[in-house]
Amino acid sequence: MLKLDFEKCGGLIPAIAQDYKTNEVLMVAYINEESWNETLKTGRATYWSRSRQKLWKKGEESGNVQEVKEILVDCDEDTVIFKVNQIGGAACHEG
């Protein structure tokens, strides 16, 4: 299984959410090893909230869930793209 390099950037790496049908970039967030493993386990995007310092299960409060269809990883293994099915009205708090 793929091992991401969380140590290079102090435990967090960028995660780009992209619509799997249109390729539109929906948002950029960060993941740590725990949120990565939760995403793999559930198939739903889970991030690390830097402001709240806790796991952020996308859609847990808003209902705007991101169902992960595909994961792309850059050659340095320190950035990911989650190609997602965006369920709900918005990907981010800006709408």
Side-chain angles (χ1 to χ4, degrees), residues 20-81:
Y20 85 104
K21 288 182 182 173
T22 67
N23 291 322
E24 176 186 6
V25 173
L26 302 173
M27 58 178 271
V28 176
Y30 291 87
I31 61 171
N32 63 7
E33 194 162 6
E34 183 181 9
S35 59
W36 168 248
N37 290 330
E38 185 68 15
T39 298
L40 294 178
K41 183 174 109 180
T42 65
R44 298 201 178 220
T46 302
Y47 302 101
W48 177 256
S49 172
R50 294 177 301 162
S51 60
R52 294 177 290 190
Q53 292 292 296
K54 68 176 194 168
L55 283 184
W56 166 30
K57 295 182 179 186
K58 184 70 179 127
E60 189 171 53
E61 295 175 17
S62 68
N64 299 324
V65 173
Q66 292 175 344
E67 178 182 61
V68 178
K69 296 294 195 178
E70 184 179 0
I71 299 173
L72 306 173
V73 180
D74 78 331
C75 62
D76 293 328
E77 299 177 336
D78 62 1
T79 302
V80 299
I81 297 174

